[in-house]
Every structure is written in C-alpha cells, then in structure tokens.
C-alpha cells in the first residue's frame, strides 16, 4: 500500500454512466491485476474504492461507473486536477493458477480489472479468452481493448442489442475448453458462474468498505477458511474458499 | 521553546495523548507498514470477546456528511488468539503499553476476557467496552443502566491490578449517572464516547443501507457532542477521562484536553486517512506554539475556568 497524489490526464465517458480515468503518477505499489485503489474525494468522508483497469510505470487507468454522489463528483474532475489515492490495495488474481487457457468472465463494471488481467496473461504467453456481459449495447465497454490484445471476446447483452442475447453463462456455453475461470461482476453473476464452471476459479468480490486496507473489518465476508476482509485478503478469492 | 506533550493516564506516562481508538486500528500492523507507530501515545486494540466473532452481516459501513456509520459487531478472533497470535505480532512493531479493549455478553465473559488479557506484558490498561451499539444482548445494554455498568466495572476490577478504563455510551439520557456508577465501582478512568446510534436508507432499495438496520456514527460530525460529554463527565467524577468522538486534528486534541480529557482517541479519521494519527502527533507542538501552550498537562480541564 502506498499513498500517491496522481494527476488526472483525462476523465471521459466511454459508455452510459461509465468513465475512463487516465492518471499519471507512481503506480509501483500495484503488483497484480484485480487490485484496487481508494480515492479521496473532497467533500466525501470515506474514500471510494475503484478496481485497477490497467497500469504501467508512471500511469494508471481506472474505468468506473457513476453509482452515487461520490462517483458523480469524480466524473466532473477535469484534466490537471490532483487525486489522492491509496494504491496497491488488496489481493489480485494469481496468474500461475490460471493455466494456459483461462476464461475471463466479466459483467458490467466488473469488466475493467479483467483487461489488466488479460494483458498480464498474454504477456506471459497464455491464451485467455473472455466472455463479457452487459445490460445493453449502450453500457458495453472495453471490447476493443480486449480485441487489441488479440483476446477472443464473446459479447453478451441481456437485451440482445449487441452480440449474443443473454447472460454471461450463455456466453460460457460458446467457449470450447478452458483451464480456469477468473470472474468479476455482480454477486449473483459470480455465484452463477461459479456453479457453472467445472474448473477452478478466482472471483473478485465487492462490498461497502470503511478503510480499504484492513483496519476496520467493515467489509469482511465468511469463507470456508474463516473470515476474510474483502479489502485485504480479497477482493479476489479462490472458488474453493467461497461458501456458495 | 520546548513543548511538552507528555501526559499521565492512570499512573502510566504517555509520550503524547494521541491514541488510535479501538476498531479503527486493527492490531496495529496494517498501519505499521506505513509509518513507525511508536510515535503514538498508545493504541487501543480491536475489541476482544471470549470466543471468536464474525460480527454482523454486510453491508456494515455507511457514510454521512460528517463521517461514517459502522455496524461491524465486534468481529475479533477471540481472547485466546489475541493473546497467542495478535499481541506477539504487535510486539514486533509497537513497544509501548496498549489499551486492551474488552467486551462481553455477560459479567462472566467480561471477567474471563479480562483474566486472559490483563496479565499480558504489553497491556497497560484494560478498556472495558460497555457501549457497543451493534450487538444485541451485550455491549451497550451494560452501558445504559448504571447498576449494570457498575457490575461490569466491579467484575473486571476484581481480576486485575492494572488500570481499568470503562468506555461509555453516548446513547443515554444522562452520561454522568453512568460515569458516577463506574467510578463508585472502582474504575480508574473513563473513555468516551463510543459511537452514536444512527442509520441511513438506500433510496434505490428503500431499505436501510446497513444490514443491521442501525449502526454507530463517528467522524467529525459527532465531535461537538463528544466534547460536551467529556466536559460533563470530567466535572461529575474525579477520574481521568479519555476523550474521543470525531477527533481529526491537533486542535481537536487540544479542545478535548481543555474540556477535561487527559488523553484523546482518534477513530474514524484513521480510516479516511491512514496517516491521520501520525500527522496529528506531528502537528501537536506546532498547534501548542500557536495557542501558547508549553505543556499539555497544564491545560487539562483548562476550559472549566
């Protein structure tokens, strides 16, 4: 964990209520895809945890959804503004567990951390494929970014306005074989994906957080191996730990 | 001019009066990754019960303009694990005496937890939580009735020679009545305030945000209320008071001392800014200079005239 003041390079909408936030600053505390940062927003008491979409030396990319007043305020921050963040938080995806052909399953604003994961996996010579689900075409994000990594994408929309009409579980039926599943999205989706996949898996969970770094126990969940703090031992937990 | 930040709490000297509050600092090591926590006066460890507890279902955290609400419900690994694992780990990063915050659902449990924690060499004080608003049948129910508050105080008092602080609830009509009951039952000091019972409602779901329905309010929004209660209690009893509730700056610490607190705890501020306590400690001599304070000891209760 590290406290860093980033500078906003750009902060623009890429789909309905979804923003692409590019930051410059020290991202060295981020060690794995699936980790998150916790942003301090003036006028709001608690920080806002946002998953890392992509990062590199001296830069960070976050893709977030406007959910409430905090993220609405964030969406109005201009380029050049400073942003106080705690970075490198949580436990991300474990790459060695993914095998040679992992399947990445993302729903809605759960898709962004899977892009960083796809980038790390392809850099290691793995061959991931992705099933990305959205409510509707107007909310679909990052499909071109996956394509740019040459990661095959099965796009699903609940209303059929883009790609396959259906949920990510329907998209999973189209994927021939896979070594492992890495998923991020709403809890109902994660449960359904976990029930469907015959392989091992890693699932990124979400919860309202107090501190985001393990001090307050506000975001704890029960697992087969005892209580876990989603901000510290999570957000990515292994399938066999989950009580689903 | 040299500024003296030392204070003495129940016979134990603190380098400064800044103490992270229970439940907002874990067992210390998350913060020790960020800075040397030996700059703190002390710290109050996560509230400990006899058996391990998971606490309440999620969501357990909500926000309001002046701070936050929590309904964690005393998640902790239980007294045996604290003694066997947490305190030895803590010893590697913190070398000063700590406040062992204990809680229970019966007099027997309070006594049993006190018996396990009090002999630990790191424990300088026992802080008896009779004011958790997030558990049922324990916690706050002991802190809202003077007779029960006195009974818990006496039960813990009987099993240790270490100083016993009793942590009081603000969710009462007259906090001084509870304070007097604890003083008469043998408390060495009083900590106040625990969180205020509050709630928020999710407009989309039209249900309380917290799964527990209600939670404890903390943060700067409760500071004036906490200050008023510290003022009242420090006049009502002749015991040292540890003041807390929304403290976020060196100026807040000084205000608490002027109201009658001997030491001060910092809670929610640590969660919004993990460096909050370190920065408050560093800012104290600067604030003392600005307000013409040579020694913090000299200003305790100073606003009472």
């Amino acid at each position: 964990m590290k406290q860093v003041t980033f500078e906003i390079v750009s902060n623009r909408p890429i789909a309905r209520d979804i923003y692409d936030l590019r930051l410059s600053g020290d991202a060295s505390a981020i060690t794995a895809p699936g980790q998150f940062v916790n942003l301090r927003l003036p006028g709001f008491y608690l920080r806002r945890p946002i998953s890392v979409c992509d990062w590199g030396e001296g830069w960070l990319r976050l893709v977030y959804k406007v959910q409430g007043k905090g993220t609405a305020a964030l969406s109005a921050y201009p380029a050049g503004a400073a942003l106080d963040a705690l970075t490198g938080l949580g436990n991300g995806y474990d790459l060695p567990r993914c095998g040679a052909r992992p399947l990445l399953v993302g729903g809605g604003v759960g898709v962004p951390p899977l892009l960083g994961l796809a980038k790390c996996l392809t850099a290691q010579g793995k061959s991931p494929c992705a099933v990305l689900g959205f409510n509707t075409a107007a909310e679909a994000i990052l499909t071109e970014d996956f394509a740019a990594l040459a990661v095959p994408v099965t796009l699903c929309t609940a209303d059929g306005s883009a790609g396959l009409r259906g949920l990510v579980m329907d998209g999973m039926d189209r994927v021939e074989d896979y070594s492992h599943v890495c998923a991020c999205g709403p809890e109902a989706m994660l449960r359904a994906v976990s029930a469907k996949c015959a392989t091992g898996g890693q699932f990124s969970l979400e919860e309202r957080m107090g501190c985001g770094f393990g001090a307050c126990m506000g975001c704890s969940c029960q697992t087969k191996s005892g209580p876990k703090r989603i901000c510290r031992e999570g957000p990515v937990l292994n399938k066999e730990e989950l009580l689903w | 001019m040299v500024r003296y930040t030392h204070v003495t709490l129940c016979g134990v000297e603190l380098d400064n009066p800044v103490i992270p509050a229970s439940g907002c600092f874990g067992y210390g090591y998350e913060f020790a990754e960020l800075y040397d926590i030996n700059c703190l006066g002390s710290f109050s460890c996560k509230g400990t019960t006899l058996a391990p507890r998971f606490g309440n279902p999620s969501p357990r955290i909500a926000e309001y303009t002046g701070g936050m609400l929590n309904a964690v419900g005393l998640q902790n690994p239980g007294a045996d694990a604290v003694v066997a694992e947490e305190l030895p780990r803590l010893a590697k990063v913190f070398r000063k005496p700590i406040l062992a915050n204990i809680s229970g659902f019966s007099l027997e449990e309070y006594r049993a937890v006190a018996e396990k924690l009090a002999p630990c060499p790191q424990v300088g004080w026992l802080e008896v939580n009779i004011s958790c608003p997030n558990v049922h049948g324990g916690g706050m129910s002991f802190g809202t009735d003077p007779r029960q508050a006195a009974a818990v105080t006496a039960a813990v008092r009987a099993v240790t020679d270490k100083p016993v602080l009793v942590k009081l609830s603000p969710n009462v009509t007259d906090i001084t009545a509870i304070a007097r009951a604890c003083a008469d039952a043998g408390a060495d000091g009083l900590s106040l305030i625990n969180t205020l019972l509050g709630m928020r409602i999710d407009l989309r779901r039209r249900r309380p945000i917290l799964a527990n329905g209600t939670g404890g309010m903390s943060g700067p929004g409760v500071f004036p209320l906490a200050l008023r209660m510290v003022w009242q209690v420090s006049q009502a009893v002749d015991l040292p008071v540890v003041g807390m509730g929304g403290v976020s700056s060196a100026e807040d610490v000084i205000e608490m001392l002027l109201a009658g607190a001997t030491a001060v705890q910092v809670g929610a501020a640590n969660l919004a800014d993990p460096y909050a306590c370190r920065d408050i400690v560093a800012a104290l001599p600067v604030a003392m200079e600005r307000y013409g304070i040579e020694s913090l000891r000299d200003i305790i209760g100073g606003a009472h005239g």
Side-chain angles (χ1 to χ4, degrees):
Chain A
M1 170 169 54
K2 197 168 188 177
Q3 185 174 28
V4 176
T5 303
F6 288 93
E7 183 182 330
I8 295 178
V9 176
S10 65
N11 184 18
R12 60 187 182 84
I14 54 169
R16 191 162 72 198
D17 295 332
I18 311 257
Y19 285 74
D20 187 343
L21 177 61
R22 310 283 182 130
L23 302 169
S24 67
D26 177 8
S28 63
I30 300 167
T31 55
Q35 288 185 310
F36 65 99
V37 299
N38 213 358
L39 305 178
R40 185 161 219 185
L41 307 178
F44 297 89
Y45 192 71
L46 294 174
R47 291 171 181 264
R48 295 302 190 267
I50 310 274
S51 65
V52 171
C53 174
D54 196 6
W55 79 101
E57 195 178 331
W59 62 272
L60 178 62
R61 181 185 185 190
L62 308 176
V63 173
Y64 64 94
K65 183 174 186 181
V66 172
Q67 296 271 27
K69 289 181 181 174
T71 41
L74 177 61
S75 72
Y77 289 4
L83 201 51
D84 171 347
L86 297 173
T87 76
L89 300 176
N91 200 14
Y93 292 99
D94 180 354
L95 271 65
R97 286 178 69 102
C98 291
R101 189 174 154 74
L103 171 61
L104 316 185
V105 183
V109 79
V111 168
L114 299 180
L115 179 64
L117 174 60
K119 197 170 168 182
C120 292
L121 288 166
T122 52
Q124 291 190 351
K126 308 278 179 68
S127 305
C129 55
V131 174
L132 308 180
F134 304 94
N135 289 318
T136 184
E139 295 177 6
I141 49 169
L142 303 177
T143 52
E144 302 85 2
D145 296 77
F146 282 90
L149 293 170
V151 172
V153 171
T154 304
L155 174 64
C156 313
T157 53
D159 66 357
S161 54
L164 183 68
R165 182 190 191 100
L167 305 176
V168 290
M169 281 65 72
D170 302 309
M172 288 172 73
D173 289 333
R174 304 285 182 97
V175 181
E176 291 282 312
D177 67 312
Y178 46 87
S179 53
H180 192 78
V181 167
C182 293
C184 185
E187 188 176 317
M189 185 205 95
L190 296 181
R191 284 172 183 262
V193 170
S194 175
K196 189 175 179 68
C197 74
T199 65
Q202 299 177 56
F203 293 81
S204 183
L205 307 183
E206 189 173 48
E207 190 48 78
R208 284 177 183 262
M209 291 178 182
C211 62
F213 54 89
C216 73
M217 317 266 175
C219 62
S220 298
C221 68
Q222 291 274 31
T223 73
K224 287 176 186 164
S225 45
K228 304 273 184 189
R229 296 165 292 184
I230 288 178
C231 71
R232 188 86 177 182
E233 288 81 34
V236 178
L237 296 177
N238 290 319
K239 183 182 166 185
E240 53 270 27
E241 296 176 280
L242 298 168
L243 290 167
W244 295 341
Chain B
M1 183 187 287
V2 181
R3 306 284 162 181
Y4 296 97
T5 58
H6 303 75
V7 294
T8 304
L9 179 62
C10 307
V12 185
E13 182 158 293
L14 305 177
D15 292 338
N16 62 69
V18 179
I19 303 171
S22 178
C24 299
F25 215 70
Y27 292 95
Y29 21 83
E30 285 82 11
F31 291 84
E33 287 175 23
L34 293 173
Y35 65 91
D36 181 359
I37 61 173
N38 289 292
C39 68
L40 304 168
S42 176
F43 90 85
S44 179
C45 72
K46 182 93 183 87
T48 301
T49 52
L50 190 56
R53 277 180 62 82
F54 174 71
N56 290 320
S58 297
R60 299 165 154 191
I61 301 288
E63 190 184 38
Y64 72 99
T65 312
M68 61 178 286
L69 297 89
N70 89 83
V72 171
L74 296 175
Q75 182 180 342
N76 78 94
D80 287 334
V82 169
V83 172
E85 293 161 30
E86 307 291 352
L87 294 183
R89 260 176 91 186
L90 170 65
K92 294 177 185 151
V93 293
F94 193 63
R95 57 175 181 266
K96 298 179 181 181
I98 65 161
L99 286 74
N101 187 285
I102 65 171
S103 203
F105 293 80
S106 65
L107 291 180
E108 291 69 34
E109 183 175 357
Y110 277 105
R111 187 182 298 123
V113 179
E115 280 176 336
K116 285 178 188 290
L117 265 62
C120 297
Q122 289 151 284
V123 173
W125 308 260
L126 287 171
E127 184 178 57
V128 186
N129 180 4
I130 57 166
S131 45
C132 178
N134 295 325
V135 297
H136 304 283
M140 193 172 83
S141 60
F142 289 103
T144 52
D145 173 358
R147 280 166 301 178
Q148 290 215 60
V152 174
T153 306
V156 175
R157 170 77 291 154
V159 299
T160 181
D161 294 327
K162 288 188 176 170
V164 174
L165 304 165
V166 183
K167 185 167 176 179
L168 304 184
S169 172
N171 303 303
V172 293
T173 311
D174 179 9
I175 196 169
T176 61
I178 311 285
R180 283 192 201 93
C182 295
D184 292 345
D188 298 293
L190 301 169
S191 296
L192 61 142
I193 57 174
N194 205 317
T195 54
L196 282 151
L197 201 55
M199 76 184 303
R200 296 299 308 273
I201 289 173
D202 182 330
L203 297 184
R204 286 198 184 89
R205 293 189 304 113
R206 302 188 184 181
R207 292 288 180 277
I209 290 176
L210 299 168
N212 190 50
T214 59
M217 291 168 61
S218 57
V222 309
F223 179 75
L225 186 146
L227 192 73
R228 180 267 290 178
M229 288 189 158
V230 166
W231 171 279
Q232 288 178 316
V233 167
S234 66
Q235 280 193 316
V237 297
D238 190 21
L239 290 180
V241 169
V242 180
M244 75 195 82
V247 172
S248 311
S249 67
E251 286 76 10
D252 292 346
V253 172
I254 292 171
E255 253 189 275
M256 276 285 182
L257 266 55
L258 287 168
T262 294
V264 170
Q265 291 187 9
V266 180
N270 293 298
L271 309 185
D273 175 7
Y275 293 102
C277 278
R278 179 199 68 175
D279 293 349
I280 291 170
V281 170
L284 262 178
V286 182
M288 289 166 71
E289 186 172 355
R290 183 175 310 128
Y291 297 102
I293 300 163
E294 189 182 339
S295 169
L296 289 181
R297 281 179 210 275
D298 299 341
I299 66 161
I300 294 168
H304 291 276

